[in-house]
Amino acid sequence: MLTQKFKALVVDDDPIARKTVGYALEQEDFNCAYAINGDDALKWMNTGQVDLVVTDLRMPHKHGHALAVELLARENRPIIVIHSSLDDPRLTKDLMAQGVDDVICKPTNYAAFAVKMNALVQRRNKAKAQAIAVAPGAPDVRRAEVQESAPPETPALQDIHCPVRPISRAEYERRLASVEHIFPLSSAASEVFSLTTSEETNPGEIASALLRDAALTADVLRLANSSFYRRNNCPTIDVEEAVRRIGYQRIGEIALALNALSAFRCCIVPWLDTDIGQARSLATSIALERLREMREQRVLNDGTTLCAFLHSLGRLLLGSAFQNEYQALIQVCSERHVSLSELESHVFPESHSAALSRVLSKWNIPNGVCGPLRYVAESYESIARLEEPTSSRAELIKLAVFIGDIAVGRWMSWDQIEPPPRQVLLRHQLTNLVPLIEQTRADIEQLTKSWKSPNDKVGSDRLVQDNGGHVQRLLYYDLSGGQADWMPVLLASLGIETIPHKAGSGKMSGGMVVNCLSAKTLSLETHQASWAGLTPLFLIEDDAPTELKEYGLTARLPASAAALRASCEQIATSGRPRKTQNVLPSPAIHVSQVNLLA
């Protein structure tokens, strides 16, 4: 997913220095990656591009001076800044003469440092844009960069013209501040959270704090009496007992989350189905608990429960602040089957989850608690580059969101479907997502029976496929090589019923979905007989082999829910293979005329 957030690489062998610099830069809209020396930094630079490199000088293996010299020799080099305790005027003069953008000596005013780094990057980007604009007959570099990132089997992508101009940081901050009041943090919820951070607090004190807010108390009791937390058949109206059922380590974050979820009950954003949003919040929190149980992970007051509950509120926040802009974006999504996340990244300076994280920090919630939420909307690849434990926590929440969304089984057409890579599942010891999805679905159906919105629409009767009542049936063939295939469950949530196709089952006609996600190798000639006489639709990733185009149609993920469903519907009634094409390319959002990347 494209993003306007600046990217920085912080290089220092001192972990405290790395973390301090990274935190300061994150406050000025940088997404940070980290390296411990010059060799480590160069390995990272060979896999990704950054806007800024901040490096120490004295490091083992390749030191900062050698790293800077090597980076200066590269085309399209990043901004290079030396950050060191070595205060040597001769060395500074040499580095500046060679082209280093700045040399900053420790100790450092980190707030001023981060502001300066932001200004350096913006100045560089502005200069590049002006150079492109004034060069007579110059090619459109920005368009070329987007097209070069397209898959090689897509000769020409349809342009998607975004009707919304990019929002400046100043305007973004002003309008976001104007709607922060929609998240009604009560003093009772705040006190409960504070109490759970102390080991000396007992359940009675927490119950007393809850009782100061009648609505919050009712929500806690409702949750404690749900089948998920009620281990016996006895309901309770004892708030202290409710605290024990939910768990001392969970109740602080859950109190904040339930308080914030009340925003769903009083805010109206026309294009946002708040019933689906609330169901997804509950489902994600349940999926997170199931993931922890599976890994036998101890429940900690580390913010993951809070982030899981609240992840879907970010769009409510931005949708309230930018109503007209979102109406235009939703219209483009509807017409072109592009995901809203893709368009948002071109318009706003940060993701919706990062916006929500910003608001939570203004509630005086520690960054260590709400920090992972900032990255949940980023790609798995970007999250993997974060430092621990932020990387693992953000990844776990993102997995819970994916499981929860499938379990709820209702999709907005503009939802982005981003399957987790195989290596992420293995890292979290997840060999089979299907039982997790099914268990989460059962839990959420039971939980929502007692969880009513003002219109009594949130419940098991609302957890249905939003596909107009029409279910497509397609043959299905798995080439992913995974131990347990969850793709049929995902397709079923989109209203696509799959029928497993077995080799040697006889001549058939119509369409077939072929799952090639995370496939290590593909011997297509070996499997070609399996789809003889059919129209195959290969589900692939961006780095899938180009020879697939010789055998059938392709659908690339991540993609919008509407695009994936439309691709399946296109082959549902096929009687024979059609002319080779890509029915679901990753659409290139055309930015040259609307100046979205300037």
Side-chain angles (χ1 to χ4, degrees), residues 71 161 173 190 313 330 377 456 499:
L71 292 179
H161 296 279
E173 297 279 3
S190 180
L313 284 180
I330 294 299
D456 291 328
I499 305 169

Side-chain angles (χ1 to χ4, degrees), residues 85-381:
S85 57
L86 186 61
D87 188 3
D88 186 339
R90 291 174 300 176
L91 180 60
T92 299
K93 183 176 180 180
D94 174 66
L95 288 166
M96 297 294 287
Q98 293 195 54
V100 168
D101 296 279
D102 206 349
V103 178
I104 296 177
C105 296
K106 304 173 184 178
T108 308
N109 181 331
Y110 287 99
F113 166 85
V115 170
K116 188 175 184 179
M117 297 304 101
N118 185 292
L120 283 173
V121 173
Q122 289 203 49
R123 190 181 305 161
R124 163 73 69 82
N125 290 349
K126 184 176 181 180
K128 285 183 178 180
Q130 290 176 342
I132 293 171
V134 300
D140 191 329
V141 176
R142 289 168 294 177
R143 180 184 299 187
E145 288 175 347
V146 172
Q147 291 180 341
E148 286 173 3
S149 68
E153 68 268 29
T154 307
L157 295 175
Q158 291 183 329
D159 297 338
I160 296 179
H161 296 279
C162 181
V164 181
R165 61 178 177 80
I167 306 297
S168 69
R169 168 60 68 175
E171 182 181 359
Y172 177 81
E173 297 279 3
R174 177 180 60 80
R175 293 172 67 175
L176 193 62
S178 70
V179 298
E180 288 174 359
H181 65 278
I182 70 174
F183 291 90
L185 178 65
S186 72
S187 58
S190 180
E191 184 179 353
V192 170
F193 178 77
S194 298
L195 286 171
T196 58
T197 62
S198 171
E199 295 182 358
E200 299 178 357
T201 306
N202 59 61
E205 292 177 281
I206 297 174
S208 296
L210 284 169
L211 287 167
R212 292 171 43 210
D213 186 325
L216 180 59
T217 300
D219 283 343
V220 168
L221 285 171
R222 188 180 298 116
L223 190 65
N225 282 301
S226 68
S227 61
F228 185 72
Y229 287 108
R230 191 175 70 194
R231 303 306 180 186
N232 53 51
N233 293 323
C234 300
T236 183
I237 59 172
D238 185 334
V239 179
E240 190 171 331
E241 171 61 22
V243 170
R244 290 193 184 95
R245 287 185 181 184
I246 293 173
Y248 178 80
Q249 293 293 340
R250 297 187 187 97
I251 190 63
E253 295 178 26
I254 285 179
L256 289 176
L258 293 176
N259 189 212
L261 281 175
S262 62
F264 270 130
R265 304 171 189 170
C266 59
C267 289
I268 298 177
V269 176
W271 53 271
L272 189 62
D273 190 321
T274 56
D275 291 333
I276 293 178
Q278 184 163 318
R280 285 179 171 180
S281 292
L282 296 171
T284 299
S285 66
I286 290 172
L288 179 68
E289 295 299 322
R290 293 300 182 189
L291 284 168
R292 282 173 162 164
E293 288 177 3
M294 178 175 289
R295 301 178 61 190
E296 298 182 348
Q297 187 181 67
R298 178 170 167 262
V299 176
L300 300 173
N301 200 15
D302 62 359
T304 50
T305 298
L306 177 67
C307 295
F309 255 108
L310 298 186
H311 77 279
S312 59
L313 284 180
R315 281 210 170 100
L316 179 63
L317 180 70
L318 289 184
S320 300
F322 299 93
Q323 296 184 23
N324 293 334
E325 288 83 357
Y326 266 101
Q327 291 286 4
L329 294 180
I330 294 299
Q331 183 65 29
V332 174
C333 292
S334 176
E335 294 174 352
R336 308 304 297 272
H337 289 178
V338 65
S339 73
L340 182 56
S341 295
E342 186 75 9
L343 295 179
E344 285 173 323
S345 70
H346 291 278
V347 175
F348 302 109
E350 63 184 0
S351 69
H352 56 89
S353 63
L356 180 58
S357 178
R358 177 192 299 271
V359 171
L360 294 178
S361 67
K362 292 184 179 180
W363 283 2
N364 295 321
I365 297 175
N367 186 65
V369 173
C370 62
L373 186 61
R374 181 179 181 85
Y375 306 105
V376 170
E378 299 294 330
S379 67
Y380 283 102
E381 182 181 5

